[in-house]
Amino acid sequence: MSLLANMEHLAAASGVVAVTIDSPQHPRAFRGVETWAPVLDAALALFDKTDEDTIRLVIGQHTIIVQKEHGQTVAVVLPTGHAIAKSLRRMIRRLSKKERGPLVPRPAGEQAAQGAAPGEPHHSEAA
């Protein structure tokens, strides 16, 4: 259950647009920009048809990474080429192993300094 328990940490990571976690014991969970929900559902369906541990899908200017860890499957949308792509698989593995505490929101000034591009919602607005 650790991925579900740590979903807010994953959704709040820099560059993450949307996250879906599918677990046999719990209903599918989603956080992020709502327009991605049906696309992530389709990505999970495609993933189920493969024998892979992870797949990547490129859709326009975004990449979806689908990965299975400890019986749970996670699908994450991020802008193609974003720096988090290099460490995302490792982050998912770590979040699946140990439940983190509740997410502590960053102060508004710090969020603005890291800032979303103009017109992009901050993660607190997208969740």
Side-chain angles (χ1 to χ4, degrees):
M1 169 156 155
S2 291
L3 275 174
L4 280 172
N6 293 322
M7 185 174 200
E8 299 303 328
H9 290 277
L10 186 56
S14 174
V16 172
V17 176
V19 178
T20 294
I21 298 178
D22 192 27
S23 173
Q25 299 86 7
H26 303 289
R28 191 172 285 179
F30 175 84
R31 299 287 184 279
V33 179
E34 286 293 326
T35 55
W36 283 102
V39 179
L40 290 179
D41 288 342
L44 289 170
L46 177 63
F47 182 75
D48 285 342
K49 295 181 185 311
T50 72
D51 290 330
E52 302 296 325
D53 294 330
T54 185
I55 63 172
R56 289 177 180 256
L57 307 165
V58 177
I59 300 174
Q61 295 181 2
H62 291 85
T63 298
I64 298 174
I65 298 173
V66 185
Q67 181 174 332
K68 182 173 278 231
E69 291 292 334
H70 301 288
Q72 297 179 352
T73 306
V74 62
V76 181
V77 178
L78 57 143
T80 299
H82 194 280
I84 196 172
K86 290 182 177 181
S87 59
L88 186 62
R89 291 190 64 208
R90 182 177 58 242
M91 178 189 297
I92 292 169
R93 268 195 310 274
R94 288 180 178 167
L95 290 174
S96 73
K97 292 179 182 175
K98 181 180 174 190
E99 188 171 327
R100 306 292 193 260
L103 181 65
V104 178
R106 294 186 308 219
E110 187 177 321
Q111 269 186 339
Q114 299 223 341
E120 288 185 10
H122 291 284
H123 292 286
S124 60
E125 296 171 7

